[in-house]
Amino acid sequence: MRIAELHPQPDWVLSIIAEDGRIGRFDVTPYLEYEAFEELRDHNEFMKVSNGGYFIEWACGADLSADTIEARWEVIGKAASTTTA
């Protein structure tokens, strides 16, 4: 999976649009117990996420691969196609 768009939400959830148009939500809450993600308990730090396409990364250095996200996200829809026939 390649991440096309990434939008952090206030509830430690990431709204994600994959390059293939799938739209989903990824809950980061379970990862907050791990030392590498400890700084993300601060909401301001959580919001400092950037999209690397095949991974996401926070300013503190924590990261997740697109494969990890794809394995555990909740797909909630598909973006409408913008191409015409």
Side-chain angles (χ1 to χ4, degrees), residues 39-78:
E39 289 186 47
L40 302 183
R41 294 177 195 161
D42 177 337
H43 185 261
N44 291 326
E45 290 301 314
F46 174 74
M47 299 300 284
K48 297 177 186 176
V49 64
S50 60
N51 180 6
Y54 293 104
F55 65 94
I56 60 170
E57 183 176 37
W58 284 269
C60 67
D63 64 4
L64 290 166
S65 72
D67 290 340
T68 297
I69 292 169
E70 186 174 33
R72 294 178 173 86
W73 73 333
E74 173 190 6
V75 177
I76 58 174
K78 181 119 174 148

Side-chain angles (χ1 to χ4, degrees), residues 19-30:
E19 192 172 61
D20 65 5
R22 290 176 295 159
I23 300 169
R25 295 171 39 90
F26 183 82
D27 185 0
V28 179
T29 306

Side-chain angles (χ1 to χ4, degrees), residues 3-38:
I3 300 167
E5 291 184 37
L6 172 67
H7 305 281
Q9 304 300 311
D11 55 357
W12 282 269
V13 167
L14 300 170
S15 292
I16 297 170
I17 300 176
E19 192 172 61
D20 65 5
R22 290 176 295 159
I23 300 169
R25 295 171 39 90
F26 183 82
D27 185 0
V28 179
T29 306
Y31 296 86
L32 299 178
E33 69 181 74
Y34 299 107
E35 185 178 344
F37 294 87
E38 188 174 341

